Amino acid sequence: MLKLDDFFHLPELPMFLEQLLHDEPGLTVVAGLDPRPLATSPGGVLASGRSAMLRVLLRSFFDTYPGATATVITDDKAFIRIPNHLKRHIKLALVKPGDSYADIITRAMQRRPDMLVIDRLCDQTTSAALDAAHQGMRVVSQVDTIFRGASVAQYLLDLGATTAQLGSLRWVVAVQRLQTLCPVCKQPVAPSDGQQAFLRRYALEHEATLHHAPGCAACGFTGRQHEVTAFDIFHAAAGVPDLFEQPSMLSIEEYLARLAAQGFLPLDDAMHAASDDLRRTYQLLSASERALTDANATLERKLAELEAANRVLQQRTTALISLQEMSHALISSAALDDLVQRVCRLACDLGGADRAILYLTRAEGAAEVLAVSGWDAALVHQQIAPELMCSTNADGQPEVFDDWPPGIPPRHADVEGVALRAGLCIPLVAEGRQVGMMIVHSTRKARFAPGEVALLRSFANQAALSIQRAQLIEQLREKIVQLEAAQAEIVAKERLEHELELARQVQQSVLPRTFPPLPGYTFAACNQPARQVGGDFYDIFTLDASRFGIVIADVSGKGMPAALYMALSRSLLLAEARREPSPREVLINVNRLLRELGDPKMFVTVFYGVVDTAARRLCYARAGHDYPLLLRDGMAYPLGGIGMLLGFFGDDELRLSEEQLDLAAGDKLVLYTDGLMDMLNERDQRFDLEQLTVVIRSHAHEPAEALCSGTFADLAAYQGAAEQYDDMTMLVMAVQ
């Protein structure tokens, strides 16, 4: 667990910490602002280190009170790591989903620990934490805020606390981390008159040695390298009537000034702390609606302090409040068209102008009119050539503009009805890059006041960030649409893959794993689908004691429809084969049933034969299927027979013939599908029937299984790395 010596700190800090630890019970708040994803930018907010400071306070508490106990209330187990030697003294009360922080705090108080640690102050915990402190409990918590000192008390009101409850607030320790000057390139620098006056405010003018860092390779030419923590210590003194007017015991401005006097920071960090706070406040505005409320409260407090200190800044402070309210309106606009129209209207309101035109620079260098106020609305979306754009200075300062805006032809005052008098060109700069410009004109006054120019510049910078944000939102919406389309494609693909898997299972259930043992005959088959699911099927099945059927078929189409059509065709054929002895009549009946039950857009080619084992005779019919080959005495003879495919034509159009063939010992009947002849090699050369016959004849002397595997091996060698486009199936019947 951390301790104070782990931080670099000024000598005054341990004294205040000691006073805090020995003070009466009450609420101690550790305040600090941590980065938010939407508020990051070059030179943005560093992590404040408030969680580390809270752990320092807890460690210091147990060092001061060794036998004390504490209860830590959090919804995240990783919030604090409890050392082994303190596990008997610290109890973790975990807030689970659905639990109420207030209920958990109430139950923890019933155990009466010496300290209650709450992981954060928010609208769910603030009132309960102050009530616990009011009942004599020492409570420590943290809050994510830019506020410090008495402003934290004001912020607690926004979180639901009452003015009476704030009487239990004792200490506010605000922390902020900053980057220090690079120790390699750091150089002494003489203070200016303004810096001398600032040092004199804290009696540091004689002991301070100021430094600056121009940048070097060690720091990446930024002039900054390491980090240091600055503190603001506030004690709510008892008996003071107005809590919100109490100053900090050690303000962060003084802390920064002392760090600058020791050479850790440039003095400008202390002198410009207020303006730096305004920048950090804007980042908080961009993060969320809650951040907007907090930032406005910070600005109002800072503006009140500036008003009391310097009447010259009073008018600018009031204008900045209005500026933040307008920023809220900009941030609430997510649509780009609505946003830029608001920007033009608000620019006219802020600067007392009656005409405004906003240009956005495109990637190709040209510019586009995005919005107008007081000009013809037909100018919107007009393209402007790069050479017509106004040149702006490097630091983004507005410039006097005494001409007509680019893209608007000049007209005489008598024709226009008014004369353009005061004009101002304001660059739109976002993250250090000019993304466009805005030109405002007044037809009533001769020039814009300096305060109006400064206000318009600040507004333009915020408008540029809001426009950039709106563009990102529109791009995000487009990406979401693309993502949804991609997800739909993925769902369709997954549905197709699921369908293919079901089809594969259907097909595997159709194709035989083993053949029936038939004396005098052996069988072998090879099947290689072109895709996950093929359209071929084959089978050997017993009809009676002296007859068996042999079939090979090729279904049109792929996927689940083909698999279902295959299963239907096979079921119909098996049923008809056991009812009708004639192969021709079987196929005619199957064709009739397929036309009634099957998909009218699908068909199947079939070779079906019946073998009489006693007579060694094959009776077959061929419905549009490839001609089988009979291997006899080293020769290959194609079988005859005519017939059309099934499932598409009527009975009269089938023209099926029934053929017979006497089988002899040593014969091999080779049945195959057209995929064996539709194969292409890497040179797109087709493997034809003649080549297939030669390959099969070369394996004619081999057993049925070797004949199948050898033929497929030769086909694979011919195909090489070329893609297979059709299913390949071979069924061999060998006569012993």
Side-chain angles (χ1 to χ4, degrees), residues 564-576:
L564 294 176
Y565 200 85
M566 175 197 297
L568 174 64
S569 302
R570 177 179 179 274
S571 300
L572 294 176
L573 191 143
L574 289 177
E576 290 299 317

Side-chain angles (χ1 to χ4, degrees), residues 397-473:
Q397 285 282 359
E399 294 183 345
V400 175
F401 189 82
D402 295 329
D403 204 348
W404 284 66
I408 302 179
R411 298 203 299 176
H412 193 274
D414 293 341
V415 178
E416 182 68 17
V418 291
L420 300 182
R421 303 183 65 191
L424 200 63
C425 178
I426 311 149
L428 300 177
V429 180
E431 298 182 350
R433 182 175 63 88
Q434 183 173 345
V435 297
M437 69 178 185
M438 181 169 52
I439 298 176
V440 296
H441 278 97
S442 174
T443 59
R444 299 185 298 270
K445 58 186 178 183
R447 65 181 182 86
F448 290 97
E452 293 172 334
V453 174
L455 196 58
L456 284 172
R457 181 191 180 190
S458 299
F459 173 73
N461 291 337
Q462 297 180 8
L465 290 173
S466 298
I467 291 171
Q468 189 177 60
R469 168 180 170 271
Q471 287 180 305
L472 291 174
I473 291 176

Side-chain angles (χ1 to χ4, degrees), residues 530-595:
R531 300 291 184 267
Q532 187 174 358
V533 177
D536 297 350
F537 76 91
Y538 58 89
D539 204 355
I540 304 291
F541 49 90
T542 302
L543 295 174
D544 53 38
S546 61
R547 295 186 310 131
F548 67 87
I550 180 170
V551 63
I552 189 169
D554 186 355
V555 174
S556 64
K558 303 293 181 186
M560 178 58 78
L564 294 176
Y565 200 85
M566 175 197 297
L568 174 64
S569 302
R570 177 179 179 274
S571 300
L572 294 176
L573 191 143
L574 289 177
E576 290 299 317
R578 291 186 170 89
R579 191 176 63 85
E580 173 63 53
S582 168
R584 178 179 181 274
E585 294 302 321
V586 167
L587 295 186
I588 289 175
N589 292 340
V590 170
N591 179 69
R592 187 179 304 114
L593 292 170
L594 284 176
R595 285 169 56 82

